[in-house]
Amino acid sequence: MADSEEHRLIAERRRKLDELRDRGNAYPNDVQPSDQAADLHARYGEQDAQTLAASGDHVSVAGRMMAKRVMGRSSFAVIEDVSGRIQLFVERDTLAEGVYQSFKSWDVGDIVAAEGGMYRTNKGELSIRVDQLRLVTKSLRPLPDKFHGLSDQELRYRQRYVDLIMNDDSRQVFRSRSALVSFARAHLEAQGFLEVETPMMQPVPGGAVARPFTTHHNTLDMQLYLRIAPELYLKRLIVGGLHKVYEINRSFRNEGISTQHNPEFTMLELYWAFADYKDIMTLTEDLIRGASQALHGTARISYQGQELDLEQDFQRISLEESITHFNPAIDPGRLRDSDYLRQQLDERETRYEDNYGAGKLLTELFEKSVEEKLLQPTFIVSYPTEVSPLSRQNDADPFVTDRFELFIGGREIANGFSELNDPEEQAQRFRAQAELKADGDDEAMFFDADYIRALEYGMPPAGGLGVGIDRLVMLLTDSASIRDVLLFPLLRPE
RNA sequence: GGGGGUAUAGCUCAGUCGGUAGAGCAUCGGCCUUUUAAGCCGCUGGUCCUAGGUUCGAAUCCUAGUGCCCCCA
């Protein structure tokens, strides 16, 4: 960056900081504001000037100075605290000797504390008529343009602290994110789910088809993987008798970065004994509808210009039906015919590998021709067994499993299924995955012998769910990129 | 991995045909007791992303690279 220019502006403020140091403690820690801006607006917002003047109430606030307008012997300043903004009316002759002179040298961005009576200006704005004023923390770096804010996308991600200072929209996204997670916790706790924490560093990564990050523990001299999913540990807890568990935390996948993908991301996973995938669908629907209600007071939302109705019952349609629905030309009778599926994929210029069976080819065809069209909330059910190595096969049709994925706005939001609890069948599926891995598919699953041992003790029938929290936040905050809902998205180093 | 866009003052942005680098805000100095993108006067402030090339002369044209944004595999 152009350091010389920056240095000129910073040097000026550093000079001011030096003066503060000369006069005493430049970084005081004894400031305890008793009021917040939003409360003041709530309490006094309706009162007229005379009432305010007569009340005699004395308030104290502290926050970052976001605007400063000096007019000779009086000034206006606007400070922002965690709750919002309040204007300060500052007069030379109301303050102690010399304070006003100092105030004039303070900068927008400085953190100040003020006390005074409530006051309404001639133009009617609720303000504090300041009688005590302190500079609490000197800001050495100039803030962006007060009107345009910080709009450079790269700077917003790299210096999120500046983005948060300047852009209320950005602050709101992260408040919503927090509200969503709080809602999910409360919603699940109310149904008797227990929040647990399982290893993020795993000797055998499992629970998803994805490439893991590797790391190393020095003392044990062992290779570890950052988890790609918590699934296999959570199901060990079902074996252990914790029959309703959930975890909301980070998983890691060593894959590409896009508007939908960040290498570390947050999932809600839950497992529920004596439930099946249909129960899980109902729970998922309630959770997402309730989250929208909690954040917006409505389940009808707008996402990137698209109206989405989370209020109505979510559609449920099988993967195969969805393909024939959106591709009328496809022969419904040949959806499990590998040659036919390869031909259909060729026509759509979609790549596939020689070792793909009908189930995986079918899933590719779904992803290519259906997924993005599923705007309104839709559960796609009956995923092929071939692509569902941890799901329970359907009793009537072993080609598919009792599994669903939920799509909203053309994107996968959740994935759930009746869990495979037959240890011998699971071992067989792991072996098939291990063969794929041996063939060079580095996304294929590892054989997890301890997980099989756990299943051998007996896991009750159970349903499980994974929800991409980041994507759900995107949906509910109308954010186009996952980076907009991550406080510190991964970027290349500066 | 491929394609497109973008990069100029601290911030937000102009910059025509290749001919001395611009504005607003911020900073600095001055005026101002009811402003709210306060106003008025004056002054500062530049590695035009980087490295090459073409040219008498490059922010501008060419090549390569880098960051970010978007699309595609």
Side-chain angles (χ1 to χ4, degrees):
Chain A
M1 298 301 288
D3 285 349
S4 57
E5 169 68 6
E6 185 178 66
H7 283 161
R8 186 177 60 84
L9 295 169
I10 293 176
E12 181 61 32
R13 292 186 178 210
R14 221 177 272 285
R15 186 186 61 73
K16 294 174 180 176
L17 174 60
D18 288 343
E19 285 177 15
L20 289 172
R21 290 191 199 280
D22 289 345
R23 264 182 274 145
N25 186 356
Y27 289 92
N29 190 26
D30 60 346
V31 179
Q32 292 184 310
S34 54
D35 300 284
Q36 291 194 349
D39 295 335
L40 296 178
H41 286 291
R43 248 189 289 159
Y44 300 103
E46 301 302 313
Q47 299 186 13
D48 61 27
Q50 286 87 345
T51 313
L52 288 173
S55 80
D57 287 2
H58 199 80
V59 302
S60 81
V61 295
R64 192 181 297 275
M65 188 160 62
M66 299 304 289
K68 179 175 166 237
R69 297 180 282 273
V70 176
M71 293 160 301
R73 279 172 286 169
S74 77
S75 298
F76 292 96
V78 176
I79 66 161
E80 180 161 326
D81 64 21
V82 71
S83 73
R85 294 183 172 206
I86 185 81
Q87 179 169 267
L88 307 180
F89 180 47
V90 186
E91 295 162 293
R92 186 190 64 180
D93 299 338
T94 313
L95 296 169
E97 183 76 27
V99 174
Y100 189 75
Q101 194 59 35
S102 300
F103 164 78
K104 285 204 285 185
S105 74
W106 298 352
D107 293 290
V108 168
D110 289 351
I111 293 169
V112 305
E115 295 181 34
M118 294 311 294
Y119 174 71
R120 196 171 287 285
T121 64
N122 290 350
K123 293 281 170 59
E125 179 160 352
L126 186 69
S127 307
I128 297 171
R129 189 165 205 158
V130 176
D131 52 44
Q132 305 243 17
L133 190 60
R134 287 176 77 188
L135 175 53
V136 180
T137 306
K138 183 67 197 166
S139 170
L140 293 177
R141 290 177 181 266
L143 290 177
D145 184 298
K146 65 192 168 204
F147 186 63
H148 298 97
L150 183 67
S151 60
D152 184 297
Q153 203 61 250
E154 183 175 357
L155 285 181
R156 291 186 57 208
Y157 296 150
R158 287 196 194 278
Q159 299 185 40
R160 181 67 86 185
Y161 35 89
V162 181
D163 179 42
L164 290 169
I165 290 171
M166 299 304 298
N167 299 326
D168 187 56
D169 289 354
S170 186
R171 283 196 299 275
Q172 195 46 50
V173 164
F174 295 103
R175 288 203 177 96
S176 293
R177 181 174 180 125
S178 176
L180 169 72
V181 172
S182 293
F183 170 81
R185 287 205 163 98
H187 186 77
L188 294 174
E189 300 284 336
Q191 294 174 59
F193 281 88
L194 183 73
E195 182 170 14
V196 297
E197 295 176 84
T198 63
M200 294 202 188
M201 300 168 74
Q202 304 177 346
V204 179
V209 173
R211 218 161 298 167
F213 286 92
T214 57
T215 186
H216 182 262
H217 188 277
N218 289 339
T219 307
L220 296 180
D221 188 23
M222 75 188 280
Q223 167 150 289
L224 285 165
Y225 300 87
L226 300 189
R227 71 175 177 196
I228 53 177
E231 174 159 353
L232 300 185
Y233 282 92
L234 290 169
K235 288 197 282 198
R236 283 170 169 95
L237 300 179
I238 297 288
V239 171
L242 302 179
H243 281 175
K244 290 178 113 175
V245 293
Y246 75 100
E247 180 162 9
I248 299 177
N249 219 319
R250 226 65 63 78
S251 287
F252 308 84
R253 296 185 184 177
N254 201 343
E255 290 165 359
I257 296 175
S258 77
T259 53
Q260 317 293 319
H261 300 87
N262 193 66
E264 55 179 303
F265 63 102
T266 299
M267 271 203 296
L268 158 65
E269 284 210 6
L270 69 82
Y271 293 86
W272 179 7
F274 306 108
D276 67 9
Y277 76 116
K278 291 179 180 169
D279 300 314
I280 299 291
M281 279 193 277
T282 302
L283 182 152
T284 305
E285 191 168 339
D286 289 344
L287 182 72
I288 289 174
R289 186 176 297 130
S292 180
Q293 289 282 1
L295 265 62
H296 302 300
T298 174
R300 294 200 171 82
I301 61 168
S302 173
Y303 183 72
Q304 306 290 295
Q306 185 71 225
E307 300 303 317
L308 300 175
D309 185 355
L310 311 178
E311 187 67 56
Q312 64 183 357
D313 288 346
F314 293 8
Q315 274 193 56
R316 300 184 183 193
I317 177 175
S318 79
L319 185 131
E320 286 167 280
E321 285 167 345
S322 77
I323 289 175
T324 51
H325 179 262
F326 285 102
N327 301 277
I330 285 182
D331 180 354
R334 300 183 67 189
L335 284 178
R336 298 180 184 185
D337 174 340
S338 295
D339 290 334
Y340 181 73
L341 290 168
R342 276 190 282 265
Q343 179 195 320
Q344 293 299 320
L345 289 172
D346 287 339
E347 285 177 15
R348 289 165 179 78
E349 294 174 346
T350 303
R351 273 189 299 175
Y352 49 84
E353 303 290 334
D354 290 343
N355 62 0
Y356 286 10
K360 188 149 189 187
L361 293 166
L362 189 64
T363 306
E364 293 288 330
L365 185 56
F366 166 79
E367 287 175 5
K368 180 69 181 181
S369 68
V370 178
E371 195 169 313
E372 66 181 15
K373 295 171 181 151
L374 299 173
L375 298 175
Q376 299 305 322
T378 307
F379 288 112
I380 297 294
V381 301
S382 302
Y383 271 70
T385 304
E386 184 183 352
V387 297
S388 312
L390 303 169
S391 308
R392 184 182 191 282
Q393 269 177 325
N394 183 267
D395 288 332
D397 180 3
F399 181 78
V400 297
T401 56
D402 290 339
R403 173 182 172 196
F404 70 86
E405 287 195 0
L406 171 64
F407 294 86
I408 306 176
R411 292 186 192 143
E412 180 196 341
I413 298 293
N415 174 27
F417 40 87
S418 297
E419 303 300 330
L420 175 56
N421 64 341
D422 174 343
E424 295 177 354
E425 168 72 13
Q426 184 66 74
Q428 185 53 45
R429 303 259 196 109
F430 275 157
R431 277 192 289 273
Q433 287 287 316
E435 277 176 35
L436 290 174
K437 190 169 272 303
D439 281 354
D441 180 354
D442 51 10
E443 291 190 341
M445 290 180 182
F446 290 75
F447 191 102
D448 188 334
D450 177 72
Y451 179 64
I452 297 297
R453 178 168 64 187
L455 291 186
E456 286 170 351
Y457 279 94
M459 180 170 87
L465 173 69
V467 180
I469 292 294
D470 311 284
R471 290 186 187 180
L472 189 54
V473 175
M474 287 170 66
L475 194 70
L476 295 177
T477 59
D478 196 16
S479 299
S481 170
I482 195 170
R483 287 181 287 265
D484 296 326
V485 303
L486 296 169
L487 282 166
F488 301 101
L490 186 67
L491 300 176
R492 284 197 162 81
E494 287 180 68

